[in-house]
Amino acid sequence: MPDLSFFKPQSTQGWLAWVLVFFFVAFSLASDQFLTLQNLLDLTETYAVTGIFALGLFVVLVTGGIDISFAAVASVVQYVIASLFVQFGFDNAPLSILLAIACGTLFGVINAVLIYWLRIVSIIITISMQSLLFGMLMWITEGRSLYNLPEWWVTLHNILPFSVHGQTYQIGLPLTIMLVIAAITWLLLNKTHLGRQLYATGGDQESARRIGIRVGLIHILAYGWLGALAAVGGLVQVYRVGEVVPNALVGGELDVLAATVLGGASLMGGKGTVTGTLMGVFLIAILKNGLNLVGVSSYFMNIVIGVVIMVAITVTHYKKRKETDVSFV
């Protein structure tokens, strides 16, 4: 009898890989439009912004925190950069990008300071920050969209064009940026002393403090990183759609959280990988794309995503309890 233990997943990423294969095959059989190169490329481009946000949120989750204000931060950064061009004719691409990243990082640092030094639960602070930033943005702008944007921001670029059977395709800038950020995040977490400190802080904050880790600075790094990636994701989203819409990003936080949790990140900190996060993003992407192609209602998609999050959280919480169970009964 053949040994089937090779096919048994040994990690969260292993289980997720099998789930991806299952849905990939299922949607390929259910719709002849799913397994086409153009659809898969469009899918990856569409969810590149979600991937960028997820990579930032993942670093925060590793430290044992949570931040759901990133979409509001991205929206504010978008409008600030666009307003500088519309109102003052500021059209310097490198400075605009640096300013956007600085603004996003500042919002992240503010979150970290309030959470750590005031000892307030992270989800409370970030919900408040999300409400504050988004409310002020909608109040000041009156919900007006901006369409007159600088050329550097909306001109589409061919990063890696290629041909298959005479048909021309391309890997676009959003996917390229997401992959570059994924590589940098992987290096940060796996090849630097700071990365080990991030995981240690999430594993046990008090123990990390006792061995000399400056937990406050680690929180600033994590939340600042998410703020910076929120700004980058906001810029990429405008590049894709060619306009700044104040409420375009707010409301999509659930997909980002689902992707990170599905990828193996624990809401209690200290766990997860960059590869798992990207796999989680891709699972959310194929679920929504596949359900849409087979004609499922968008309302039902939200039910599916909600169930997926509940199952993932339940599994990770159960595994955590099993790991820490020292009873003799």
Side-chain angles (χ1 to χ4, degrees):
M1 185 175 180
D3 183 12
L4 300 179
S5 61
F6 174 79
F7 297 98
K8 183 179 179 179
Q10 301 298 317
S11 65
T12 301
Q13 287 72 40
W15 285 106
L16 188 56
W18 278 113
V19 173
L20 280 168
V21 170
F22 170 78
F23 281 114
F24 200 87
V25 172
F27 288 132
S28 299
L29 296 174
S31 172
D32 57 2
Q33 300 178 47
F34 179 79
L35 195 58
T36 62
L37 186 54
Q38 187 61 59
N39 180 62
L40 296 178
L41 287 173
D42 289 343
L43 184 148
T44 54
E45 291 288 308
T46 300
Y47 282 86
V49 173
T50 300
I52 293 170
F53 289 158
L55 289 166
L57 179 59
F58 165 61
V59 173
V60 171
L61 289 177
V62 164
T63 64
I66 189 171
D67 186 347
I68 61 169
S69 66
F70 54 86
V73 169
S75 300
V76 169
V77 169
Q78 287 178 347
Y79 220 94
V80 167
I81 301 303
S83 297
L84 286 176
F85 175 76
V86 173
Q87 299 294 330
F88 306 104
F90 187 74
D91 193 18
N92 187 306
L95 286 180
S96 295
I97 294 171
L98 288 176
L99 178 61
I101 294 175
C103 288
T105 303
L106 176 61
F107 286 124
V109 169
I110 291 173
N111 278 334
V113 169
L114 292 175
I115 291 166
Y116 182 74
W117 274 277
L118 297 182
R119 298 293 191 271
I120 301 177
V121 179
S122 58
I123 194 168
I124 301 299
I125 286 294
T126 57
I127 287 175
S128 302
M129 182 64 75
Q130 191 268 356
S131 180
L132 173 66
L133 292 178
F134 184 61
M136 288 185 64
L137 178 64
M138 296 301 291
W139 175 55
I140 293 172
T141 66
E142 297 181 345
R144 290 190 300 267
S145 300
L146 299 178
Y147 304 98
N148 182 26
L149 302 175
E151 290 297 320
W152 63 264
W153 202 355
V154 294
T155 301
L156 299 180
H157 301 280
N158 293 326
I159 302 301
L160 186 60
F162 61 96
S163 297
V164 176
H165 302 304
Q167 184 71 32
T168 302
Y169 303 93
Q170 67 160 327
I171 295 176
L173 186 61
L175 178 59
T176 304
I177 292 175
M178 187 197 75
L179 293 176
V180 169
I181 290 174
I184 295 172
T185 305
W186 184 87
L187 289 172
L188 170 67
L189 291 172
N190 295 281
K191 298 298 180 180
T192 69
H193 184 55
L194 279 175
R196 290 187 288 273
Q197 290 184 348
L198 285 164
Y199 277 106
T201 300
D204 190 325
Q205 185 169 302
E206 187 57 37
S207 296
R209 185 181 291 107
R210 289 175 180 173
I211 63 175
I213 294 175
R214 303 179 69 178
V215 174
L217 292 180
I218 293 299
H219 278 81
I220 287 176
L221 170 65
Y223 286 89
W225 180 253
L226 174 55
L229 293 196
V232 173
L235 295 178
V236 172
Q237 193 262 351
V238 173
Y239 169 83
R240 287 191 60 252
V241 301
E243 60 183 352
V244 174
V245 181
N247 60 349
L249 291 172
V250 174
E253 296 89 348
L254 185 63
D255 287 353
V256 179
L257 178 60
T260 52
V261 173
L262 283 171
S266 171
L267 296 179
M268 291 172 279
K271 291 189 177 294
T273 64
V274 169
T275 304
T277 300
L278 294 180
M279 292 171 69
V281 171
F282 190 56
L283 176 57
I284 296 296
I286 66 171
L287 274 173
K288 288 204 164 187
N289 179 257
L291 290 172
N292 180 62
L293 289 176
V294 299
V296 173
S297 167
S298 60
Y299 299 112
F300 186 76
M301 292 183 197
N302 292 330
I303 295 175
V304 172
I305 300 302
V307 169
V308 164
I309 293 176
M310 289 182 64
V311 171
I313 291 175
T314 301
V315 170
T316 55
H317 183 69
Y318 175 76
K319 290 175 65 177
K320 184 76 172 181
R321 287 187 61 184
K322 293 290 288 184
E323 291 171 0
T324 57
D325 186 8
V326 294
S327 65
F328 297 97
V329 182

